[in-house]
PDB file of all heavy atoms in Angstrom:
ATOM      1  N   ARG A 153      88.403  41.076 132.230  1.00  0.00           N
ATOM      2  CA  ARG A 153      89.508  41.529 131.415  1.00  0.00           C
ATOM      3  C   ARG A 153      89.592  43.055 131.270  1.00  0.00           C
ATOM      4  O   ARG A 153      90.663  43.619 131.468  1.00  0.00           O
ATOM      5  CB  ARG A 153      89.422  40.862 130.044  1.00  0.00           C
ATOM      6  CG  ARG A 153      90.667  41.127 129.278  1.00  0.00           C
ATOM      7  CD  ARG A 153      90.690  40.382 127.987  1.00  0.00           C
ATOM      8  NE  ARG A 153      91.495  41.185 127.081  1.00  0.00           N
ATOM      9  CZ  ARG A 153      91.928  40.761 125.927  1.00  0.00           C
ATOM     10  NH1 ARG A 153      91.621  39.564 125.509  1.00  0.00           N
ATOM     11  NH2 ARG A 153      92.657  41.539 125.164  1.00  0.00           N
ATOM     12  N   GLU A 157      92.857  45.462 132.497  1.00  0.00           N
ATOM     13  CA  GLU A 157      93.533  46.415 131.622  1.00  0.00           C
ATOM     14  C   GLU A 157      93.474  47.817 132.208  1.00  0.00           C
ATOM     15  O   GLU A 157      94.466  48.546 132.231  1.00  0.00           O
ATOM     16  CB  GLU A 157      92.864  46.410 130.247  1.00  0.00           C
ATOM     17  CG  GLU A 157      93.015  45.094 129.534  1.00  0.00           C
ATOM     18  CD  GLU A 157      92.472  45.161 128.128  1.00  0.00           C
ATOM     19  OE1 GLU A 157      91.879  46.193 127.778  1.00  0.00           O
ATOM     20  OE2 GLU A 157      92.658  44.200 127.387  1.00  0.00           O
ATOM     21  N   THR A 175     109.188  62.958 145.386  1.00  0.00           N
ATOM     22  CA  THR A 175     110.337  63.755 144.937  1.00  0.00           C
ATOM     23  C   THR A 175     110.210  65.190 145.430  1.00  0.00           C
ATOM     24  O   THR A 175     111.163  65.768 145.971  1.00  0.00           O
ATOM     25  CB  THR A 175     110.403  63.757 143.402  1.00  0.00           C
ATOM     26  OG1 THR A 175     110.302  62.420 142.946  1.00  0.00           O
ATOM     27  CG2 THR A 175     111.685  64.368 142.914  1.00  0.00           C
ATOM     28  N   TYR A 181     111.950  69.016 151.892  1.00  0.00           N
ATOM     29  CA  TYR A 181     112.566  68.689 153.184  1.00  0.00           C
ATOM     30  C   TYR A 181     114.024  69.093 153.185  1.00  0.00           C
ATOM     31  O   TYR A 181     114.533  69.639 154.170  1.00  0.00           O
ATOM     32  CB  TYR A 181     112.429  67.196 153.492  1.00  0.00           C
ATOM     33  CG  TYR A 181     112.880  66.868 154.879  1.00  0.00           C
ATOM     34  CD1 TYR A 181     112.047  67.080 155.957  1.00  0.00           C
ATOM     35  CD2 TYR A 181     114.180  66.414 155.126  1.00  0.00           C
ATOM     36  CE1 TYR A 181     112.470  66.836 157.245  1.00  0.00           C
ATOM     37  CE2 TYR A 181     114.611  66.161 156.411  1.00  0.00           C
ATOM     38  CZ  TYR A 181     113.749  66.375 157.467  1.00  0.00           C
ATOM     39  OH  TYR A 181     114.176  66.148 158.747  1.00  0.00           O
ATOM     40  N   GLY A 182     114.707  68.826 152.059  1.00  0.00           N
ATOM     41  CA  GLY A 182     116.102  69.194 151.977  1.00  0.00           C
ATOM     42  C   GLY A 182     116.304  70.692 152.140  1.00  0.00           C
ATOM     43  O   GLY A 182     117.290  71.155 152.700  1.00  0.00           O
ATOM     44  N   HIS A 233      84.909  53.276 133.926  1.00  0.00           N
ATOM     45  CA  HIS A 233      83.674  52.604 133.532  1.00  0.00           C
ATOM     46  C   HIS A 233      83.781  51.093 133.641  1.00  0.00           C
ATOM     47  O   HIS A 233      82.825  50.389 133.353  1.00  0.00           O
ATOM     48  CB  HIS A 233      83.309  52.988 132.102  1.00  0.00           C
ATOM     49  CG  HIS A 233      84.338  52.546 131.120  1.00  0.00           C
ATOM     50  ND1 HIS A 233      84.158  51.479 130.299  1.00  0.00           N
ATOM     51  CD2 HIS A 233      85.572  53.022 130.871  1.00  0.00           C
ATOM     52  CE1 HIS A 233      85.248  51.319 129.570  1.00  0.00           C
ATOM     53  NE2 HIS A 233      86.111  52.240 129.897  1.00  0.00           N
ATOM     54  N   ARG A 297      80.970  56.303 130.341  1.00  0.00           N
ATOM     55  CA  ARG A 297      82.101  56.986 129.696  1.00  0.00           C
ATOM     56  C   ARG A 297      81.791  58.465 129.493  1.00  0.00           C
ATOM     57  O   ARG A 297      82.642  59.325 129.706  1.00  0.00           O
ATOM     58  CB  ARG A 297      82.422  56.303 128.374  1.00  0.00           C
ATOM     59  CG  ARG A 297      82.968  54.911 128.561  1.00  0.00           C
ATOM     60  CD  ARG A 297      83.192  54.222 127.233  1.00  0.00           C
ATOM     61  NE  ARG A 297      84.216  54.860 126.452  1.00  0.00           N
ATOM     62  CZ  ARG A 297      85.499  54.531 126.527  1.00  0.00           C
ATOM     63  NH1 ARG A 297      85.881  53.591 127.349  1.00  0.00           N
ATOM     64  NH2 ARG A 297      86.377  55.141 125.787  1.00  0.00           N
TER      65      ARG A 297
ATOM     66  N   TYR B  13     116.650  57.851 137.620  1.00  0.00           N
ATOM     67  CA  TYR B  13     115.429  58.427 137.055  1.00  0.00           C
ATOM     68  C   TYR B  13     115.373  58.176 135.549  1.00  0.00           C
ATOM     69  O   TYR B  13     114.359  57.733 135.003  1.00  0.00           O
ATOM     70  CB  TYR B  13     115.371  59.938 137.310  1.00  0.00           C
ATOM     71  CG  TYR B  13     114.670  60.332 138.586  1.00  0.00           C
ATOM     72  CD1 TYR B  13     115.369  60.526 139.759  1.00  0.00           C
ATOM     73  CD2 TYR B  13     113.301  60.508 138.611  1.00  0.00           C
ATOM     74  CE1 TYR B  13     114.736  60.875 140.928  1.00  0.00           C
ATOM     75  CE2 TYR B  13     112.656  60.871 139.766  1.00  0.00           C
ATOM     76  CZ  TYR B  13     113.378  61.058 140.927  1.00  0.00           C
ATOM     77  OH  TYR B  13     112.735  61.404 142.084  1.00  0.00           O
ATOM     78  N   ALA B  46     118.761  64.471 149.723  1.00  0.00           N
ATOM     79  CA  ALA B  46     118.330  65.858 149.891  1.00  0.00           C
ATOM     80  C   ALA B  46     118.283  66.236 151.360  1.00  0.00           C
ATOM     81  O   ALA B  46     118.471  67.393 151.721  1.00  0.00           O
ATOM     82  CB  ALA B  46     116.951  66.054 149.261  1.00  0.00           C
ATOM     83  N   ASP B  70     119.905  62.692 161.268  1.00  0.00           N
ATOM     84  CA  ASP B  70     118.525  63.154 161.340  1.00  0.00           C
ATOM     85  C   ASP B  70     117.595  61.948 161.173  1.00  0.00           C
ATOM     86  O   ASP B  70     117.640  61.274 160.144  1.00  0.00           O
ATOM     87  CB  ASP B  70     118.299  64.186 160.224  1.00  0.00           C
ATOM     88  CG  ASP B  70     116.938  64.816 160.320  1.00  0.00           C
ATOM     89  OD1 ASP B  70     116.166  64.410 161.200  1.00  0.00           O
ATOM     90  OD2 ASP B  70     116.653  65.713 159.511  1.00  0.00           O
ATOM     91  N   LEU B 102      95.606  37.976 128.935  1.00  0.00           N
ATOM     92  CA  LEU B 102      95.889  38.557 127.621  1.00  0.00           C
ATOM     93  C   LEU B 102      96.813  37.683 126.793  1.00  0.00           C
ATOM     94  O   LEU B 102      96.854  37.785 125.573  1.00  0.00           O
ATOM     95  CB  LEU B 102      96.561  39.931 127.783  1.00  0.00           C
ATOM     96  CG  LEU B 102      95.776  41.032 128.459  1.00  0.00           C
ATOM     97  CD1 LEU B 102      96.665  42.221 128.694  1.00  0.00           C
ATOM     98  CD2 LEU B 102      94.603  41.427 127.592  1.00  0.00           C
ATOM     99  N   SER B 113      89.860  48.165 126.800  1.00  0.00           N
ATOM    100  CA  SER B 113      88.977  48.931 127.687  1.00  0.00           C
ATOM    101  C   SER B 113      88.736  50.339 127.151  1.00  0.00           C
ATOM    102  O   SER B 113      87.865  51.054 127.622  1.00  0.00           O
ATOM    103  CB  SER B 113      89.582  48.992 129.083  1.00  0.00           C
ATOM    104  OG  SER B 113      90.695  49.840 129.085  1.00  0.00           O
ATOM    105  N   GLU B 114      89.525  50.768 126.167  1.00  0.00           N
ATOM    106  CA  GLU B 114      89.319  52.097 125.591  1.00  0.00           C
ATOM    107  C   GLU B 114      88.220  52.079 124.537  1.00  0.00           C
ATOM    108  O   GLU B 114      87.429  52.990 124.421  1.00  0.00           O
ATOM    109  CB  GLU B 114      90.609  52.583 124.919  1.00  0.00           C
ATOM    110  CG  GLU B 114      91.778  52.744 125.850  1.00  0.00           C
ATOM    111  CD  GLU B 114      91.868  54.150 126.389  1.00  0.00           C
ATOM    112  OE1 GLU B 114      90.898  54.885 126.223  1.00  0.00           O
ATOM    113  OE2 GLU B 114      92.909  54.482 126.959  1.00  0.00           O
TER     114      GLU B 114
END
Side-chain angles (χ1 to χ4, degrees):
Chain A
R153 190 174 151 168
E157 295 186 354
T175 310
Y181 188 81
H233 63 105
R297 293 176 65 90
Chain B
Y13 269 93
D70 186 357
L102 297 172
S113 72
E114 298 268 13

